[in-house]
Amino acid sequence: MLSATVMMLALLADAEDRAMLKFERMKIGSVTYEAASACDVNNDGVLDIVSGEYWFQGPDYQKQHKICDVRRVEDYYDDFSDYPMDVNGDGYLDIVTGGWWGETLQWRENPKGQPVEWQVHDIAKIGNIERACFWDVDGDGHLEVVPNTPGAPQRIFKLQRGPDGKGTGAFDMYTVKDGPTGHGLGFGDINGDGRGDLVFENGWLEAPENLFQGQWAFHDEFKLGGASVPILVHDVNRDGIADLIVGQGHDYGLAWWEQKKNAEGQRTWVKHDIDTRRSQYHEMQLADVDNDGELELVTGKRYRAHQEHDPGSLDPLGLYYFKIKKGDFTRFTIDYGPAGQASGAGIYLWIQDLDNNGWKDILAPGKEGLYLFKNLGRI
């Protein structure tokens, strides 16, 4: 029997506009990992799906192959990202991941697409990993690995590459901030100097000219709470200054923080609520899902992020995209309902056109299952 709060939320959802786009929901296997990605695992020219211990062979994703065993603690799996990267330069995409319990950043070596288990390599033991992020921090065209480790220093991992530009299987580690960093991590040019800065729940870290040798300067300018991973750096109101889009990963709330400067150039931040009635906005991305040339915010509820201990943990799940419109956010519902009937956003979703129809699809993992939402275009 649904509670009065759940029923009220369901009625409110029904009263809202549904998505302008039509999505077809497809359940991928019965796995309940919280991270997923799409890549061509076996180099056959067809995108496959990777999630936790398995990869699912495209284009129909009915055949699954074991990757490796993943540590499980209660209903968590130590798999808080599944990023495809050719780490060893052999022409096959490997998977970079890490988790809370093992405290170790790892890469799983693709056995050249063969149906055998993958070898797991430790990169570094760095503390509890809330999620790994992947950004081109130094602007060289290659992504670095930037894990959110709330109780540990902030580190950046750069893949070592040979003269041919291919990965060598090893990473260089750079520490850019000492001490605990807190829950939440973002990347983008906050001060307009052309360099990407790092954003935390309690301030931002200014990148020096020499990223890996210089001193990063911390600016204590805001308190975001238990922020999403990632925190999105985006010029929401198009005034030429970067703003922040922040979800509450373990509570109710989604907001954008407007960056302002006074005549003396002093920076302030103003919070604007987007949604106060939904909880556990842990994962979010910007993508043009409706092909209008503008970025939309894609996000949703992470199911049982702290099992049943977070506010709103047992509320209905939802997956949404928001039109941003210079700060006048409008939500469109892709999926909504109880676990077992609907999907949320998990901890590491993936957005890509998997079926080559010209519309970006959404791969949404979570403790409720792994779902592919095929974007069929406008209704």
Side-chain angles (χ1 to χ4, degrees):
M1 190 74 178
L2 293 177
S3 69
T5 300
V6 171
M7 292 177 67
M8 182 180 297
L9 286 170
L11 289 172
L12 288 169
D14 289 340
E16 294 163 354
D17 289 335
R18 292 296 175 178
M20 292 169 57
L21 302 173
K22 183 177 181 180
F23 287 88
E24 177 185 299
R25 183 178 65 197
M26 174 182 180
K27 187 170 185 179
I28 307 297
S30 58
V31 298
T32 57
Y33 311 102
E34 295 188 78
S37 63
C39 63
D40 185 359
V41 172
N42 55 0
N43 284 3
D44 65 352
V46 178
L47 286 173
D48 309 297
I49 290 174
V50 174
S51 187
E53 295 181 330
Y54 298 96
W55 67 276
F56 300 83
Q57 191 167 336
D60 59 8
Y61 315 114
Q62 297 302 301
K63 188 174 183 179
Q64 69 183 51
H65 305 272
K66 183 71 175 287
I67 294 177
C68 63
D69 291 327
V70 175
R71 179 179 179 177
R72 181 174 183 176
V73 177
E74 298 175 331
D75 59 356
Y76 294 93
Y77 286 93
D78 223 19
D79 183 69
F80 283 31
S81 61
D82 281 327
Y83 191 81
M85 177 184 291
D86 185 2
V87 175
N88 58 359
D90 66 354
Y92 286 82
L93 289 169
D94 312 298
I95 296 296
V96 179
T97 186
W100 185 265
W101 309 103
E103 304 182 0
T104 304
L105 194 65
Q106 298 177 321
W107 68 281
R108 298 168 183 158
E109 184 176 355
N110 186 338
K112 295 183 169 62
Q114 299 302 308
V116 297
E117 292 196 22
W118 302 26
Q119 185 176 355
V120 179
H121 303 268
D122 290 348
I123 299 171
K125 188 167 185 177
I126 54 174
N128 305 113
I129 300 172
E130 184 69 26
R131 203 197 91 164
C133 299
F134 302 85
W135 297 306
D136 185 1
V137 176
D138 58 6
D140 68 350
H142 299 293
L143 301 189
E144 280 71 55
V145 186
V146 191
N148 179 209
T149 48
Q154 184 59 59
R155 299 178 174 97
I156 298 173
F157 291 84
K158 185 173 181 60
L159 179 61
Q160 296 178 9
R161 297 181 181 274
D164 57 2
K166 295 181 179 179
T168 64
F171 290 82
D172 292 320
M173 182 180 76
Y174 301 93
T175 299
V176 296
K177 183 180 184 300
D178 292 323
T181 57
H183 192 295
L185 181 64
F187 173 76
D189 186 1
I190 296 294
N191 57 357
D193 66 357
R195 296 188 291 271
D197 308 299
L198 292 174
V199 182
F200 304 99
E201 66 176 8
N202 61 345
W204 64 282
L205 196 64
E206 182 180 352
E209 187 173 351
N210 188 330
L211 297 179
F212 299 125
Q213 300 299 326
Q215 183 70 36
W216 292 61
F218 187 71
H219 300 269
D220 181 6
E221 295 182 353
F222 43 71
K223 303 294 181 186
L224 304 178
S228 51
V229 190
I231 299 164
L232 299 177
V233 179
H234 180 66
D235 184 3
V236 172
N237 57 0
R238 298 186 180 178
D239 64 352
I241 305 174
D243 309 300
L244 306 176
I245 304 175
V246 186
Q248 291 303 304
H250 300 283
D251 206 337
Y252 286 92
L254 174 66
W256 72 280
W257 290 70
E258 181 182 3
Q259 181 183 168
K260 290 179 173 291
K261 290 183 180 179
N262 61 22
E264 289 74 36
Q266 293 175 319
R267 185 179 292 104
T268 59
W269 298 85
V270 179
K271 180 184 178 184
H272 303 271
D273 286 326
I274 301 170
D275 181 10
T276 60
R277 295 187 287 111
R278 289 162 178 79
S279 77
Q280 295 172 89
Y281 280 113
H282 202 287
E283 155 73 319
M284 55 188 61
Q285 294 188 29
L286 294 171
D288 183 6
V289 294
D290 62 2
N291 286 353
D292 68 347
E294 304 286 344
L295 294 175
E296 284 77 50
L297 169 64
V298 180
T299 184
K301 177 184 173 67
R302 181 186 174 196
Y303 180 48
R304 300 180 75 244
H306 281 163
Q307 297 176 321
E308 297 178 8
H309 303 297
D310 287 340
S313 183
L314 297 179
D315 290 351
L317 303 182
L319 184 67
Y320 316 103
Y321 75 90
F322 291 76
K323 299 294 294 181
I324 296 175
K325 296 184 295 185
K326 296 185 178 180
D328 183 17
F329 284 76
T330 302
R331 182 181 63 251
F332 296 94
T333 302
I334 298 170
D335 203 19
Y336 186 87
Q341 299 180 25
S343 176
I347 197 172
Y348 191 86
L349 61 78
W350 194 263
I351 303 174
Q352 188 173 354
D353 182 4
L354 272 69
D355 55 9
N356 294 313
N357 71 343
W359 299 84
K360 290 184 176 64
D361 310 303
I362 301 172
L363 188 58
K367 294 186 180 79
E368 71 276 17
L370 174 62
Y371 292 86
L372 172 62
F373 290 87
K374 293 185 177 181
N375 189 344
L376 305 182
R378 297 189 183 280
I379 297 174

